[in-house]
Amino acid sequence: QVQVVESGGGLVQTGGSLRLSCTASGGSFRYYTMAWFRQAPGKEREFVAAIKQLGSGTSYGESVKGRFTISRDNAKNTAYLQMNSLKPEDTAVYYCAAAVKTRLITSSLPNQRMYDSWGLGTQVTVSS
């Protein structure tokens, strides 16, 4: 069974940067689509970014385009989320997810139901 673990969250000031890491163990990482979602208090979980297997394509949520970058290092079984120009509205628990059983097409990347392995989340807090 694939296990997903996030790290790198913390407290940062408005305009600052953070890099989240997500390590997946227990399978063939390079064949997984990896994604980040986030959930703020009182709100539904929303799509942040995704990167297809073998790094063959990416997708971003509208609110983070131009500020966040998703990448992966298949040799390290790790996906990353570089977050720049952070805003208070980016405050949330960030979850990493892996699509293990299905190869996703680009239009399916934001659909959280397509992901079958989830981490426990890491808190990101942006102070104003």
Side-chain angles (χ1 to χ4, degrees), residues 12-28:
V12 65
Q13 291 185 335
T14 297
S17 298
L18 278 177
R19 188 178 79 158
L20 305 183
S21 298
C22 171
T23 300
S25 60
S28 300

Side-chain angles (χ1 to χ4, degrees), residues 50-104:
I51 185 166
K52 295 174 71 174
Q53 62 276 3
L54 305 175
S56 57
T58 58
S59 179
Y60 293 92
E62 286 297 324
S63 62
V64 305
K65 280 183 179 178
R67 299 188 298 124
F68 291 10
T69 302
I70 190 170
S71 61
R72 64 192 297 158
D73 185 337
N74 290 333
K76 295 182 178 180
N77 289 357
T78 301
Y80 303 97
L81 184 69
Q82 178 66 44
M83 305 185 294
N84 298 329
S85 302
L86 283 162
K87 306 174 182 179
E89 50 264 44
D90 294 317
T91 295
V93 177
Y94 283 71
Y95 296 93
C96 181
V100 174
K101 299 177 182 178
T102 307
R103 291 196 176 187
L104 304 187

